[in-house]
Amino acid sequence: MRRRLLAVLIVLMGAAVLLLSVPLAGTLARSRTEHLLLQRRADAVRFADLADRVRTPTDRDELSAEIGRYAELYGAGVLVVDAVGHPVARAGTGARAAAADRAVDARSRALTGRPTAQLPTIWPWGPSTAVLAEPVGQDERVSGAVVLAAPTDAARRDVTVRSTLIATGALAAFTMAALVAVGISRWLMRPVRDLDRAVEGLAAGSLRSRAAHDTGPPELRRLRQHFNSMAEAVTDSLNRQRDFVADASHQLRNPLATLVLQLENIEPHLRPGPGRTEVSRALDEAERLGELLDGLLALARVESGTAELTEQDLSAAVRERVTAWGSVFRKAGIELSADVGDGLRGQVLPDAVGRILDALLDNAAKFVPPGGRVDVRAGPRDGGVVVRVADDGLGVPDDQLPALLRRFGRGAQHQNTPGSGLGLAIADEIARLSGGRLSVGHNTPRGLAVELALPGREARQ
């Protein structure tokens, strides 16, 4: 947005500079052209007066000498014609220009008693010669015309110098205006970028993200204050909610432990039959409730987001967890294999990969039947790191896949499987706080595949 704003400001200022400098240069060029016309017309009037007084050959020789000296001094061409256009006297190398086709119109007007009143505007690139004509005689008594072809070198040089000064001033003004535009755009957009970073951090789960820079227009400063107030309110509400979940889970553990102990103490005193069966079921439900409370406590700790991201060796973390779970899978009759690339590193929460793999491998150990296979793969992808855990179990229908990452989410066929239903939800939260994501899908030809995608070290920088 800053580039677009800067581009608009620069275009507007460039247009303003052009609209001011181009007409100014045109005015100066026309003024210099008028000055040249006045100078050369005064000379043509003097020559016309001399030509009007020619009566004898001596007068003609005097006129020729006068225009000759003038042509030599100014490098101009002078042509004097009679009433029917025949040459009377001529001088200078520019005399041909005075008799050329472009001078015919001026000469014709002069023979009708109308002098040249306007010259083409002189620019640095031309014209190189200015042609003007003055009638000889007075009123309706016109006896000839004086055609003057004057070089415009000096005039074009003056116009060039003035145009250069105008261009230099316009460039300097545009440069200063561009620098001012850069400062204005930076002043305007700095609080916007600050707010954008704060919103991005808050959306990523960093509840400590705030807009820090108190700069910019008053409206944006007020927006920053309102955003920080909103962020404080949201953070306070979430912290209260998490504290409540953690406190409630913790407070329920003691009475639950007491209840389990009492049920265990009662069980030996019951005779075999329906009563003992009911007590066993009550103990199972109590243990399941205990797992649920442990999951809620773990989720509350993860969502608090107090840990900082650190650079870790992801290859070593994956290999370590696969090795730790090896005995569990052998006991369950499930084959566990691993293919882990070397040198995989990333900035994640402490032990994030280990905790996520524990949740994924725990699910695989529960839901993959004996004789099945679980493959763990870890390698680079798109500048990041991907850890994939795939099995060849029964899998999950398409309509139930999105529910696996929700809290207490379970497939319809796994409702009676031990567990709290929070394992994948906790793993997904850890992945999100580490800047990555967890996704579930189908394995080929059957089974479930879960992928953990994490940004690599380069992506973090």
Side-chain angles (χ1 to χ4, degrees):
M1 183 176 178
R2 180 190 170 196
R3 292 190 182 95
R4 291 194 294 270
L5 177 61
L6 188 58
V8 170
L9 291 176
I10 288 179
V11 168
L12 291 177
M13 290 182 295
V17 170
L18 286 177
L19 291 175
L20 291 174
S21 58
V22 172
L24 179 59
T27 300
L28 293 177
R30 286 189 294 271
S31 175
R32 186 63 180 87
T33 303
E34 292 291 334
H35 180 68
L36 177 65
L37 175 62
L38 292 176
Q39 285 181 323
R40 296 298 171 256
R41 188 176 177 185
D43 297 334
V45 168
R46 185 166 61 87
F47 295 145
D49 184 60
L50 289 176
D52 188 44
R53 287 182 292 177
V54 171
R55 298 290 184 271
T56 64
T58 303
D59 295 335
R60 180 174 295 183
D61 293 340
E62 183 181 351
L63 174 62
S64 298
E66 183 70 19
I67 63 176
R69 288 193 297 270
Y70 179 85
E72 183 180 357
L73 179 62
Y74 292 103
V78 183
L79 174 65
V80 181
V81 298
D82 57 17
V84 294
H86 294 157
V88 174
R90 67 174 65 193
T93 57
R96 290 184 179 181
D101 292 339
R102 61 177 175 164
V104 171
D105 186 55
R107 184 177 61 192
S108 300
R109 285 198 308 269
L111 291 175
T112 60
R114 294 177 297 168
T116 301
Q118 186 176 3
L119 293 177
T121 303
I122 296 175
W123 295 101
W125 51 87
S128 60
T129 304
V131 178
L132 57 98
E134 187 71 21
V136 176
Q138 297 179 356
D139 301 329
E140 64 276 356
R141 187 178 59 83
V142 176
S143 59
V146 175
V147 183
L148 182 64
T152 60
D153 296 341
R156 285 190 288 122
R157 185 166 53 252
D158 292 344
V159 173
T160 301
V161 171
R162 295 175 183 180
S163 299
T164 302
L165 292 176
I166 292 174
T168 303
L171 181 60
F174 178 76
T175 302
M176 294 179 61
L179 294 176
V180 172
V182 170
I184 291 176
S185 63
R186 184 176 299 172
W187 178 70
L188 286 174
M189 298 308 301
R190 181 178 296 171
V192 176
R193 293 197 305 270
D194 188 33
L195 280 172
D196 181 67
R197 286 193 295 266
V199 171
E200 182 181 5
L202 198 63
S206 178
L207 299 181
R208 292 189 295 271
S209 295
R210 298 293 184 272
H213 296 289
D214 191 13
T215 59
E219 294 81 2
L220 291 178
R221 291 201 295 269
R222 286 196 298 271
L223 179 60
R224 165 191 169 275
Q225 295 172 357
H226 295 330
F227 170 80
N228 287 341
S229 299
M230 180 196 70
E232 291 289 346
V234 171
T235 301
D236 184 63
S237 176
L238 289 176
N239 287 335
R240 288 182 181 181
Q241 179 184 357
R242 292 169 183 173
D243 291 343
F244 172 77
V245 172
D247 293 341
S249 302
H250 182 74
Q251 292 299 325
L252 287 174
R253 290 177 61 86
N254 291 334
L256 182 61
T258 302
L259 177 61
V260 171
L261 182 60
Q262 290 177 351
L263 290 174
E264 290 176 347
N265 290 336
I266 291 175
E267 188 176 14
H269 302 286
L270 297 176
R271 297 178 181 179
R276 178 169 290 185
T277 302
E278 293 299 327
V279 170
S280 297
R281 291 178 180 175
L283 282 172
D284 292 340
E285 291 298 324
E287 291 177 357
R288 182 175 179 180
L289 182 58
E291 293 178 358
L292 178 60
L293 293 178
D294 291 338
L296 289 174
L297 282 172
L299 184 60
R301 285 194 293 268
V302 169
E303 288 182 336
S304 64
T306 56
E308 296 292 336
L309 301 181
T310 58
E311 184 176 340
Q312 299 180 30
D313 186 347
L314 305 185
S315 299
V318 174
R319 293 192 183 100
E320 178 185 352
R321 298 321 300 159
V322 171
T323 302
W325 280 89
S327 59
V328 176
F329 279 81
R330 285 193 297 270
K331 185 177 179 180
I334 303 172
E335 182 182 353
L336 177 63
S337 65
D339 182 9
V340 183
D342 295 325
L344 303 179
R345 304 189 67 83
Q347 286 188 322
V348 296
L349 292 176
D351 197 29
V353 174
R355 295 162 71 183
I356 294 174
L357 270 181
D358 285 343
L360 302 184
L361 294 176
D362 180 57
N363 272 8
K366 289 178 182 177
F367 300 119
V368 177
R373 178 183 177 88
V374 176
D375 296 319
V376 179
R377 301 285 183 268
R381 182 192 296 175
D382 299 332
V385 177
V386 173
V387 181
R388 187 174 189 268
V389 179
D391 61 66
D392 59 357
L394 299 178
V396 176
D398 289 335
D399 58 341
Q400 297 182 18
L401 283 176
L404 296 182
L405 298 181
R406 299 173 188 165
R407 300 175 184 181
F408 310 108
R410 284 177 178 272
Q413 68 274 32
H414 300 140
Q415 293 297 322
N416 296 322
T417 304
S420 63
L422 290 172
L424 288 181
I426 294 174
D428 182 55
E429 187 69 17
I430 295 174
R432 186 183 65 81
L433 293 176
S434 297
R437 60 182 178 84
L438 201 66
S439 58
V440 294
H442 296 292
N443 190 27
T444 303
R446 64 173 186 174
L448 185 70
V450 184
E451 284 192 354
L452 167 64
L454 294 170
R457 180 173 53 184
E458 293 81 4
R460 282 288 184 183
Q461 295 174 349

